[in-house]
Amino acid sequence: MTEPIITQEQEKTVIQPAGDLVAANVPELRAVLRNTVSAGARDVVLDLRNTAMVDSSGLGLVIGIYNSLEKVAGRLAVIHASRDVLQLFQTMRMHQRFAISGD
Amino acid sequence: MNPNLDDELIQDYLAECLEHLARIENDLLAIEQAGADIDEQIVNQVFRAAHSIKGGAGFFGLNKIRELAHKIENVLDLIRSRQMVPQPEIVSMLLMSFDKLHELVANHRDSNQADIAEFVVALTNLTVNHLEPGQKLSVDENVSIATPTPGRLIQTTALDLKLARRGGKCIYLVEYDLIHDIERRGKTPLDVFRDLMKCGTMLETVVDFESVGTLEDAPSVKLMLEVLYATVLEPDLISQVLDLPGNQVHVLQKDGSSKPLSESGHAPVLAAEVLAKVEVPAKVAEVPATVAEAPAKVMGAPQTAPPPPAKPETAKPPVVPQSAPEATIRLNVSLLDSLMTLAGELVLSRNQLNESLAHSDQRGILAGAQRVSLATSELQAVVTLTRMQPVGNLFGKFPRLVRDLARELAKDIQLDVEGDDVEIDKTILEGLSDPLTHMMRNAADHGIELPAKRTAAGKSPTGKILLKACHQAGQVVIEIGDDGRGLDPEKIAASTLAKGLVTREQLQGMSDRDKIALIFLPGVSTAEKVTGTSGRGVGMDVVKTNLDRLGGKVEIESAPGRGSTFRIKLPLTLAIIPSLLVSHGGQRYAIPQVNVGELIRIPAAQLGERVGHAADAEVLTVRDRLIPLLHLAEVLGLPGAGDGNQAVNVVLVNTGTFEYGLVVENLHDTVEIVVKPLGRHFKGVRDYAGATILGDGRVALILDVAGLAERTGLSSGQAQGLSKPSGAELESAEERQSLLVFQNAPSEACAVPIELVSRIERVRPEQVENLAGRRTMQYQGASIPLVMLRDTAAVGELSEAQRWVVVIFEIGGSALGLLAAEPLDMVEVVLKIDQITLRQPGLAGSAVLKGRTTLILNIFELAGNARPEWGAAQSTPIHGPEAACPTVLVAEDSDFFRGQIRRLIEAVGYRVLDAEDGQAAWEILDRHAGEITLVATDVEMPRMDGLSLTRQIRADGRFDELPIIALSSLAGEEEIARGMAAGVSEYQVKLDPEEFVQSVRKAVRRNTGDLAAEKCS
């Protein structure tokens, strides 16, 4: 998978994965995000406009991001989630932990 | 949803539904019986049945089934929580609803189009009327449910839970490891959730965020997700649908605790272990009880741990296409194992045989054949076992039937069932359903009386019906007994007569048992009026036919006022039956052994003696019974029927209703045959019941003895009409006389009592000699006088074209021949002689026999004409004092017999006084006390019968020494004993003239001395 696009909008670090959050891509993304957070990003926005599918590993990654940010009093938001992804997150009650918005 | 949800699953579901439904009926009846004092176990059982039907229905999208089951469940819930007393009306409604449910399940494909509005409304009304108002739950009552992971809670509100449980849903706590359970199986969580949402609601989910760790940690191999899931799926279906091991699925109980489906594997075992409890959040902590109780109040009494679903741990039913659910059978695995073992045994034996054959090893072949034979018979036994089903499967439906009938007919009926576990071939069991139902209906409808009537008859108001099955001599016997009014043979006889199914003559020869058996004739109904329950077209004849098909026999025992018992005897199995092989023209036929009564070989010499004709049919005399004969070759239209001069083999076959003799060319062995049904193109053929393959590989047809008889027009009525009543049967029969019927001139039928006839000889006209104005013929080396009816009466003349016979009588010790012509016949009737219309010398009168006016001869008058000196004895006035001449008092109600007896006695020269009944005889005796030398009395007479007369005579004191001869056609040992007890001196069978005359003479001599006896002669 191509590198995720990371943009800085004022305080927010917007990370836009280039594809699905699935087991095959997770390790790579995981490394990128770990670096981002450890580099001091506190307000992380996950832009899922190119993501059609999130599998269990993907969910694990998102939860991992959340857990890391929570430790450092940061904040996670998910934007541009596809309908499926939105439904998944809602079903799993993720929206009770962080902000999620659809397209 | 699990994509593997194919037909297999729905078949399992349907089979289970039907099983539930089969049990429900009796449970409901038990509930009704218990009334307000409910047996929770049973109510729960029914409730769960409805519940699981509903659950599966929802899952498979069978909405009408689900809706109906749901409504039923609501009612049951109220009963369970004791808010509703299961009164008969309510149980009736439930029964009807379950019936409908049964119907829907049976036609599950069309069930969604079915109309169940009526039931839904009725059931809803039942529930609404019983619901207490104000049972609400607040939204802020929170409930925390502990997950199996210690310390983790899922929070939801009591209201949500309550809502989720609506419609009888179950709530499960499902644990998913997203990585292990989903990702490794190539699915995404979303796929799984969507499937879940298709057949239920995900109430709450909790992701174990902590277990994931941060980005710094190593990627976790576990991502636990807890789902609180409400669904209609039953515990035994859920784990298959979820495709999760049972220990990850927990059933949430109504008290808030949860139980894992199973510790391991997919088998649903509901362990009673409680893993978690309701934990009440602080806010409501002060009133924990309300939370725990609230759902209970609404949903019913706290549910005790449900016993595991009753499933045989051994085998699951094999899966078959739904179109024929009854084509499945549940088998014990051990039975299958033994089948397998035997099959293996067969294979080994075959190998051994092959080996021996290859080496032409004679001993080996023999040994191999023996092994094959052994294994085969064992295999047969075991395979037969697999077809055996307990009759309880069938009996189970009767309590309901009887209950409904009892209600409908306003009767009080108790049904006792015995022998539920007796096993019988499945095919027979299925075939029994209709006949048994019909007979149970009859028992309840016609048998059991109304309570008031029963009380009046001194019986308990509750009628009892006993349905019983047992093994007896290799057969299964099923009895349906009631203690009702019993069958009235006369009523049945009258009804069959009115319908023209039997003739009066036929009836007269019948015993009560025969008359009762008439109810098996088509078109006979024992019901005086057609009710909703009986007389709807299915008669006992259909019952009989059905039972015949099954190789069964039915017997009836009935005592008026005390009840009746129908006894059905059935073979254990139909597939393999012992049969007698017979053959004609090289073609072999099998007759099922159950139909074979006996085998008779009639030597050529006895043919004329034992085979006769009656009513245009050939009949065979077997121990005083006349049995109709059929020739197999004739019936089947085979060439080469016997020429009538050879010995014949007769198989006495029994169709269940009657017996007849089947004449066959050759008799062979009895073998066990395997019945193969005839093809569809032979559907209409009633002559054969099937076919079989014999040991030599050739085909033999199995004869349907009832079908054969039917085709030749032989019916039970006719056969019974032909049978001479045996001694026991005579008791109830009216007095009958046997007459020899012959012809005088063509179309002039004449008859004479057969007792008077000593022989019949064929004679050619030229053998008759006319000498000295007398007609004579040579007979046994002497001349005997011949008479013709024409000698005394104005009748036609014998023509030479007729076949002449001479009927020889022995009168007064000498022979007398009567010229007559064929055809000859013998009839047995109650004789009613018209003594006016055709009375002439030599003719006693006329009677109607078999629809023809027949002249009844007075052979004494004829004899008097031929031998005037013999006749003179009768006409010569008696001289001298009356007392000096022996006088016989004859009491006989039949004018004909009285005349005959008078002639016989007068022929020996005694005086006769006659009376037409016992009363008249007594009056005469009383008046002529000193004159009477002897009394000859009939037994059966109006006003006063012969025995009463005898008792009266003996009681008088004047007539202690008076000889009394009783004459009766009732000559059983018992009859004779009764006669002797009453005081008769001699008991004679009516009427052997020689013997009678002898007796009269002896008696008179003893009483008066030879002198007086000689005086008058």
Side-chain angles (χ1 to χ4, degrees), chain B residues 736-780:
Chain B
R736 300 163 65 81
Q737 283 143 35
S738 296
L739 296 173
L740 173 73
V741 180
F742 56 91
Q743 288 216 314
N744 185 42
S747 83
E748 264 178 3
C750 301
V752 67
I754 209 144
E755 291 84 358
L756 303 174
V757 176
S758 60
R759 283 197 70 107
I760 301 169
E761 295 281 322
R762 188 160 287 164
V763 70
R764 290 186 306 277
E766 58 271 23
Q767 283 178 282
V768 177
E769 298 165 10
N770 268 301
L771 290 169
R774 297 257 176 99
R775 227 181 280 111
T776 58
M777 73 173 272
Q778 301 291 322
Y779 177 64
Q780 290 177 345

Short mmCIF file of all heavy atoms in Angstrom, two decimals, chain B residues 736-780:
data_model
loop_
_atom_site.label_atom_id
_atom_site.label_comp_id
_atom_site.label_asym_id
_atom_site.label_seq_id
_atom_site.Cartn_x
_atom_site.Cartn_y
_atom_site.Cartn_z
N ARG B 736 -85.57 -74.25 12.63
CA ARG B 736 -85.44 -74.30 11.19
C ARG B 736 -85.65 -75.73 10.72
O ARG B 736 -85.38 -76.67 11.43
CB ARG B 736 -84.05 -73.83 10.79
CG ARG B 736 -83.79 -72.42 11.23
CD ARG B 736 -82.32 -72.14 11.21
NE ARG B 736 -81.82 -72.20 9.85
CZ ARG B 736 -81.94 -71.22 9.00
NH1 ARG B 736 -82.53 -70.12 9.35
NH2 ARG B 736 -81.47 -71.32 7.78
N GLN B 737 -86.10 -75.83 9.51
CA GLN B 737 -86.29 -77.15 8.95
C GLN B 737 -85.52 -77.27 7.66
O GLN B 737 -85.41 -76.32 6.90
CB GLN B 737 -87.78 -77.38 8.69
CG GLN B 737 -88.49 -77.71 9.99
CD GLN B 737 -89.87 -77.12 10.04
OE1 GLN B 737 -90.54 -77.04 9.02
NE2 GLN B 737 -90.28 -76.71 11.21
N SER B 738 -85.00 -78.45 7.47
CA SER B 738 -84.28 -78.70 6.23
C SER B 738 -85.24 -79.38 5.28
O SER B 738 -85.90 -80.35 5.64
CB SER B 738 -83.09 -79.60 6.49
OG SER B 738 -82.20 -78.92 7.33
N LEU B 739 -85.30 -78.85 4.11
CA LEU B 739 -86.21 -79.40 3.11
C LEU B 739 -85.42 -79.82 1.88
O LEU B 739 -84.47 -79.15 1.48
CB LEU B 739 -87.24 -78.33 2.69
CG LEU B 739 -88.20 -77.85 3.77
CD1 LEU B 739 -89.02 -76.69 3.24
CD2 LEU B 739 -89.10 -78.98 4.24
N LEU B 740 -85.86 -80.92 1.31
CA LEU B 740 -85.31 -81.32 0.02
C LEU B 740 -86.24 -80.72 -1.02
O LEU B 740 -87.45 -80.94 -0.98
CB LEU B 740 -85.28 -82.84 -0.10
CG LEU B 740 -84.87 -83.32 -1.50
CD1 LEU B 740 -83.39 -83.11 -1.73
CD2 LEU B 740 -85.25 -84.78 -1.69
N VAL B 741 -85.67 -79.95 -1.91
CA VAL B 741 -86.48 -79.32 -2.95
C VAL B 741 -86.22 -80.05 -4.25
O VAL B 741 -85.07 -80.32 -4.60
CB VAL B 741 -86.14 -77.82 -3.09
CG1 VAL B 741 -86.99 -77.18 -4.18
CG2 VAL B 741 -86.33 -77.11 -1.77
N PHE B 742 -87.28 -80.40 -4.94
CA PHE B 742 -87.12 -81.07 -6.23
C PHE B 742 -88.21 -80.58 -7.16
O PHE B 742 -89.02 -79.73 -6.78
CB PHE B 742 -87.18 -82.59 -6.05
CG PHE B 742 -88.44 -83.08 -5.37
CD1 PHE B 742 -89.57 -83.43 -6.09
CD2 PHE B 742 -88.49 -83.16 -3.98
CE1 PHE B 742 -90.72 -83.85 -5.46
CE2 PHE B 742 -89.64 -83.58 -3.35
CZ PHE B 742 -90.76 -83.93 -4.08
N GLN B 743 -88.23 -81.12 -8.35
CA GLN B 743 -89.25 -80.69 -9.29
C GLN B 743 -90.22 -81.82 -9.56
O GLN B 743 -89.85 -83.00 -9.59
CB GLN B 743 -88.59 -80.28 -10.61
CG GLN B 743 -87.84 -78.98 -10.48
CD GLN B 743 -87.94 -78.16 -11.74
OE1 GLN B 743 -87.77 -78.66 -12.83
NE2 GLN B 743 -88.24 -76.89 -11.57
N ASN B 744 -91.44 -81.41 -9.75
CA ASN B 744 -92.40 -82.38 -10.23
C ASN B 744 -92.43 -82.15 -11.74
O ASN B 744 -91.46 -82.42 -12.43
CB ASN B 744 -93.75 -82.19 -9.54
CG ASN B 744 -94.75 -83.25 -9.93
OD1 ASN B 744 -94.38 -84.43 -10.01
ND2 ASN B 744 -95.96 -82.85 -10.20
N ALA B 745 -93.50 -81.65 -12.27
CA ALA B 745 -93.47 -81.25 -13.67
C ALA B 745 -92.53 -80.05 -13.78
O ALA B 745 -92.28 -79.39 -12.76
CB ALA B 745 -94.87 -80.88 -14.12
N PRO B 746 -92.02 -79.77 -14.98
CA PRO B 746 -91.11 -78.63 -15.09
C PRO B 746 -91.75 -77.40 -14.46
O PRO B 746 -92.93 -77.16 -14.68
CB PRO B 746 -90.94 -78.47 -16.60
CG PRO B 746 -91.24 -79.80 -17.18
CD PRO B 746 -92.23 -80.45 -16.28
N SER B 747 -90.93 -76.66 -13.73
CA SER B 747 -91.33 -75.42 -13.05
C SER B 747 -92.32 -75.66 -11.90
O SER B 747 -92.83 -74.71 -11.34
CB SER B 747 -91.90 -74.39 -14.04
OG SER B 747 -93.26 -74.65 -14.30
N GLU B 748 -92.56 -76.88 -11.53
CA GLU B 748 -93.35 -77.12 -10.32
C GLU B 748 -92.40 -77.53 -9.21
O GLU B 748 -91.90 -78.66 -9.20
CB GLU B 748 -94.37 -78.24 -10.54
CG GLU B 748 -95.75 -77.75 -10.91
CD GLU B 748 -96.72 -78.91 -11.16
OE1 GLU B 748 -96.33 -80.07 -10.98
OE2 GLU B 748 -97.85 -78.63 -11.53
N ALA B 749 -92.11 -76.59 -8.35
CA ALA B 749 -91.16 -76.90 -7.28
C ALA B 749 -91.88 -77.55 -6.13
O ALA B 749 -92.95 -77.10 -5.73
CB ALA B 749 -90.47 -75.62 -6.83
N CYS B 750 -91.30 -78.63 -5.64
CA CYS B 750 -91.90 -79.33 -4.52
C CYS B 750 -90.84 -79.50 -3.44
O CYS B 750 -89.65 -79.46 -3.72
CB CYS B 750 -92.39 -80.72 -4.93
SG CYS B 750 -93.61 -80.65 -6.24
N ALA B 751 -91.30 -79.73 -2.22
CA ALA B 751 -90.34 -79.94 -1.15
C ALA B 751 -90.88 -80.92 -0.15
O ALA B 751 -92.10 -81.05 0.01
CB ALA B 751 -90.03 -78.60 -0.48
N VAL B 752 -89.97 -81.60 0.51
CA VAL B 752 -90.36 -82.56 1.52
C VAL B 752 -89.30 -82.49 2.62
O VAL B 752 -88.13 -82.23 2.33
CB VAL B 752 -90.46 -83.98 0.87
CG1 VAL B 752 -89.11 -84.47 0.43
CG2 VAL B 752 -91.15 -84.95 1.79
N PRO B 753 -89.69 -82.65 3.87
CA PRO B 753 -88.67 -82.56 4.93
C PRO B 753 -87.59 -83.61 4.71
O PRO B 753 -87.89 -84.78 4.45
CB PRO B 753 -89.48 -82.88 6.20
CG PRO B 753 -90.88 -82.54 5.85
CD PRO B 753 -91.04 -82.82 4.40
N ILE B 754 -86.37 -83.20 4.82
CA ILE B 754 -85.28 -84.08 4.46
C ILE B 754 -85.15 -85.24 5.44
O ILE B 754 -84.63 -86.29 5.11
CB ILE B 754 -83.98 -83.28 4.31
CG1 ILE B 754 -83.07 -83.98 3.30
CG2 ILE B 754 -83.29 -83.10 5.65
CD1 ILE B 754 -82.29 -83.03 2.48
N GLU B 755 -85.64 -85.06 6.66
CA GLU B 755 -85.51 -86.12 7.66
C GLU B 755 -86.25 -87.38 7.22
O GLU B 755 -85.92 -88.48 7.63
CB GLU B 755 -86.08 -85.67 9.01
CG GLU B 755 -85.29 -84.59 9.71
CD GLU B 755 -85.65 -83.21 9.22
OE1 GLU B 755 -86.50 -83.10 8.31
OE2 GLU B 755 -85.08 -82.25 9.73
N LEU B 756 -87.29 -87.17 6.41
CA LEU B 756 -88.10 -88.32 5.99
C LEU B 756 -87.45 -89.08 4.85
O LEU B 756 -87.80 -90.21 4.57
CB LEU B 756 -89.49 -87.85 5.55
CG LEU B 756 -90.28 -87.05 6.59
CD1 LEU B 756 -91.57 -86.50 6.00
CD2 LEU B 756 -90.60 -87.94 7.79
N VAL B 757 -86.49 -88.44 4.19
CA VAL B 757 -85.89 -89.02 3.00
C VAL B 757 -84.78 -89.97 3.41
O VAL B 757 -83.92 -89.61 4.22
CB VAL B 757 -85.31 -87.91 2.10
CG1 VAL B 757 -84.60 -88.51 0.90
CG2 VAL B 757 -86.41 -86.96 1.66
N SER B 758 -84.78 -91.19 2.88
CA SER B 758 -83.65 -92.05 3.21
C SER B 758 -82.62 -92.08 2.09
O SER B 758 -81.43 -92.17 2.35
CB SER B 758 -84.12 -93.46 3.58
OG SER B 758 -84.82 -94.03 2.50
N ARG B 759 -83.07 -92.02 0.84
CA ARG B 759 -82.11 -92.03 -0.26
C ARG B 759 -82.69 -91.31 -1.45
O ARG B 759 -83.89 -91.16 -1.58
CB ARG B 759 -81.79 -93.47 -0.71
CG ARG B 759 -80.85 -94.22 0.20
CD ARG B 759 -80.30 -95.40 -0.55
NE ARG B 759 -79.40 -94.95 -1.59
CZ ARG B 759 -78.07 -95.09 -1.52
NH1 ARG B 759 -77.53 -95.65 -0.48
NH2 ARG B 759 -77.30 -94.68 -2.48
N ILE B 760 -81.80 -90.91 -2.33
CA ILE B 760 -82.26 -90.38 -3.61
C ILE B 760 -81.50 -91.15 -4.70
O ILE B 760 -80.27 -91.26 -4.63
CB ILE B 760 -81.97 -88.88 -3.74
CG1 ILE B 760 -82.65 -88.11 -2.60
CG2 ILE B 760 -82.46 -88.35 -5.09
CD1 ILE B 760 -82.21 -86.67 -2.50
N GLU B 761 -82.24 -91.72 -5.64
CA GLU B 761 -81.60 -92.48 -6.72
C GLU B 761 -81.98 -91.86 -8.05
O GLU B 761 -83.11 -91.40 -8.23
CB GLU B 761 -82.07 -93.94 -6.71
CG GLU B 761 -81.67 -94.74 -5.49
CD GLU B 761 -80.23 -95.21 -5.57
OE1 GLU B 761 -79.78 -95.57 -6.67
OE2 GLU B 761 -79.54 -95.20 -4.52
N ARG B 762 -81.03 -91.86 -8.96
CA ARG B 762 -81.39 -91.42 -10.29
C ARG B 762 -82.09 -92.59 -10.98
O ARG B 762 -81.74 -93.75 -10.79
CB ARG B 762 -80.14 -91.02 -11.07
CG ARG B 762 -80.46 -90.38 -12.40
CD ARG B 762 -79.30 -89.56 -12.91
NE ARG B 762 -79.18 -88.33 -12.12
CZ ARG B 762 -78.07 -87.60 -12.14
NH1 ARG B 762 -77.03 -87.97 -12.85
NH2 ARG B 762 -78.02 -86.51 -11.46
N VAL B 763 -83.04 -92.27 -11.79
CA VAL B 763 -83.82 -93.33 -12.41
C VAL B 763 -84.17 -92.93 -13.84
O VAL B 763 -84.33 -91.74 -14.12
CB VAL B 763 -85.10 -93.63 -11.56
CG1 VAL B 763 -86.08 -92.48 -11.65
CG2 VAL B 763 -85.75 -94.92 -11.99
N ARG B 764 -84.19 -93.91 -14.73
CA ARG B 764 -84.61 -93.62 -16.10
C ARG B 764 -86.08 -93.99 -16.23
O ARG B 764 -86.55 -94.95 -15.60
CB ARG B 764 -83.78 -94.43 -17.10
CG ARG B 764 -82.33 -93.95 -17.20
CD ARG B 764 -81.61 -94.67 -18.30
NE ARG B 764 -81.70 -96.11 -18.15
CZ ARG B 764 -80.89 -96.82 -17.36
NH1 ARG B 764 -79.97 -96.20 -16.64
NH2 ARG B 764 -81.02 -98.14 -17.28
N PRO B 765 -86.84 -93.24 -17.01
CA PRO B 765 -88.28 -93.50 -17.12
C PRO B 765 -88.58 -94.97 -17.43
O PRO B 765 -89.54 -95.52 -16.88
CB PRO B 765 -88.72 -92.59 -18.26
CG PRO B 765 -87.74 -91.48 -18.27
CD PRO B 765 -86.44 -92.07 -17.80
N GLU B 766 -87.70 -95.60 -18.23
CA GLU B 766 -88.03 -96.98 -18.60
C GLU B 766 -87.83 -97.97 -17.45
O GLU B 766 -88.25 -99.12 -17.52
CB GLU B 766 -87.22 -97.43 -19.84
CG GLU B 766 -85.71 -97.34 -19.70
CD GLU B 766 -85.17 -95.98 -20.11
OE1 GLU B 766 -85.93 -94.99 -20.10
OE2 GLU B 766 -83.96 -95.90 -20.43
N GLN B 767 -87.16 -97.51 -16.39
CA GLN B 767 -86.98 -98.42 -15.25
C GLN B 767 -88.26 -98.58 -14.43
O GLN B 767 -88.36 -99.47 -13.61
CB GLN B 767 -85.88 -97.87 -14.33
CG GLN B 767 -84.48 -98.11 -14.86
CD GLN B 767 -83.46 -97.51 -13.93
OE1 GLN B 767 -83.26 -96.31 -13.95
NE2 GLN B 767 -82.82 -98.35 -13.13
N VAL B 768 -89.19 -97.64 -14.64
CA VAL B 768 -90.43 -97.70 -13.88
C VAL B 768 -91.32 -98.77 -14.50
O VAL B 768 -91.58 -98.77 -15.70
CB VAL B 768 -91.13 -96.33 -13.90
CG1 VAL B 768 -92.46 -96.39 -13.17
CG2 VAL B 768 -90.21 -95.28 -13.30
N GLU B 769 -91.76 -99.69 -13.65
CA GLU B 769 -92.60 -100.77 -14.17
C GLU B 769 -94.04 -100.56 -13.73
O GLU B 769 -94.31 -100.11 -12.62
CB GLU B 769 -92.09 -102.11 -13.61
CG GLU B 769 -90.68 -102.43 -14.03
CD GLU B 769 -90.06 -103.54 -13.20
OE1 GLU B 769 -90.80 -104.20 -12.44
OE2 GLU B 769 -88.84 -103.74 -13.32
N ASN B 770 -94.93 -100.83 -14.66
CA ASN B 770 -96.34 -100.75 -14.31
C ASN B 770 -96.92 -102.16 -14.25
O ASN B 770 -97.06 -102.83 -15.26
CB ASN B 770 -97.10 -99.95 -15.38
CG ASN B 770 -97.16 -98.48 -15.01
OD1 ASN B 770 -97.70 -98.14 -13.96
ND2 ASN B 770 -96.61 -97.64 -15.87
N LEU B 771 -97.17 -102.65 -13.08
CA LEU B 771 -97.65 -104.01 -12.90
C LEU B 771 -98.89 -104.00 -12.02
O LEU B 771 -98.88 -103.36 -10.96
CB LEU B 771 -96.59 -104.90 -12.25
CG LEU B 771 -95.36 -105.23 -13.10
CD1 LEU B 771 -94.32 -105.87 -12.23
CD2 LEU B 771 -95.74 -106.11 -14.26
N ALA B 772 -99.89 -104.67 -12.50
CA ALA B 772 -101.11 -104.82 -11.70
C ALA B 772 -101.62 -103.49 -11.20
O ALA B 772 -101.96 -103.34 -10.03
CB ALA B 772 -100.87 -105.79 -10.54
N GLY B 773 -101.55 -102.51 -12.07
CA GLY B 773 -102.08 -101.19 -11.70
C GLY B 773 -101.22 -100.45 -10.69
O GLY B 773 -101.55 -99.37 -10.25
N ARG B 774 -100.12 -101.08 -10.36
CA ARG B 774 -99.22 -100.40 -9.41
C ARG B 774 -97.91 -100.06 -10.11
O ARG B 774 -97.42 -100.82 -10.95
CB ARG B 774 -98.92 -101.33 -8.22
CG ARG B 774 -100.12 -101.68 -7.40
CD ARG B 774 -100.11 -100.88 -6.13
NE ARG B 774 -101.32 -101.13 -5.38
CZ ARG B 774 -101.39 -101.98 -4.36
NH1 ARG B 774 -100.32 -102.64 -4.01
NH2 ARG B 774 -102.50 -102.14 -3.70
N ARG B 775 -97.36 -98.94 -9.74
CA ARG B 775 -96.07 -98.53 -10.29
C ARG B 775 -94.98 -99.04 -9.34
O ARG B 775 -95.09 -98.83 -8.11
CB ARG B 775 -96.00 -97.01 -10.38
CG ARG B 775 -95.48 -96.49 -11.70
CD ARG B 775 -95.43 -94.98 -11.67
NE ARG B 775 -96.71 -94.37 -11.92
CZ ARG B 775 -97.41 -93.71 -11.01
NH1 ARG B 775 -96.97 -93.58 -9.79
NH2 ARG B 775 -98.55 -93.16 -11.33
N THR B 776 -94.03 -99.73 -9.85
CA THR B 776 -92.97 -100.23 -8.98
C THR B 776 -91.63 -100.05 -9.68
O THR B 776 -91.57 -99.69 -10.84
CB THR B 776 -93.11 -101.73 -8.67
OG1 THR B 776 -93.11 -102.42 -9.92
CG2 THR B 776 -94.38 -102.03 -7.91
N MET B 777 -90.59 -100.27 -8.95
CA MET B 777 -89.27 -100.34 -9.56
C MET B 777 -88.39 -101.27 -8.74
O MET B 777 -88.66 -101.54 -7.57
CB MET B 777 -88.61 -98.98 -9.70
CG MET B 777 -88.10 -98.35 -8.43
SD MET B 777 -87.19 -96.84 -8.70
CE MET B 777 -85.56 -97.46 -8.94
N GLN B 778 -87.35 -101.75 -9.41
CA GLN B 778 -86.42 -102.63 -8.72
C GLN B 778 -85.47 -101.77 -7.91
O GLN B 778 -84.87 -100.83 -8.41
CB GLN B 778 -85.61 -103.44 -9.75
CG GLN B 778 -86.44 -104.29 -10.67
CD GLN B 778 -87.10 -105.44 -9.92
OE1 GLN B 778 -86.50 -106.03 -9.02
NE2 GLN B 778 -88.35 -105.74 -10.28
N TYR B 779 -85.41 -102.14 -6.64
CA TYR B 779 -84.49 -101.39 -5.80
C TYR B 779 -83.88 -102.34 -4.79
O TYR B 779 -84.59 -102.96 -4.00
CB TYR B 779 -85.23 -100.25 -5.10
CG TYR B 779 -84.38 -99.45 -4.15
CD1 TYR B 779 -83.28 -98.72 -4.62
CD2 TYR B 779 -84.65 -99.45 -2.79
CE1 TYR B 779 -82.51 -98.01 -3.75
CE2 TYR B 779 -83.89 -98.73 -1.91
CZ TYR B 779 -82.81 -98.01 -2.40
OH TYR B 779 -82.02 -97.30 -1.52
N GLN B 780 -82.60 -102.45 -4.83
CA GLN B 780 -81.87 -103.33 -3.92
C GLN B 780 -82.49 -104.73 -3.90
O GLN B 780 -82.75 -105.29 -2.84
CB GLN B 780 -81.82 -102.73 -2.51
CG GLN B 780 -80.94 -101.50 -2.47
CD GLN B 780 -80.93 -100.84 -1.10
OE1 GLN B 780 -81.78 -101.13 -0.25
NE2 GLN B 780 -79.98 -99.97 -0.91
#
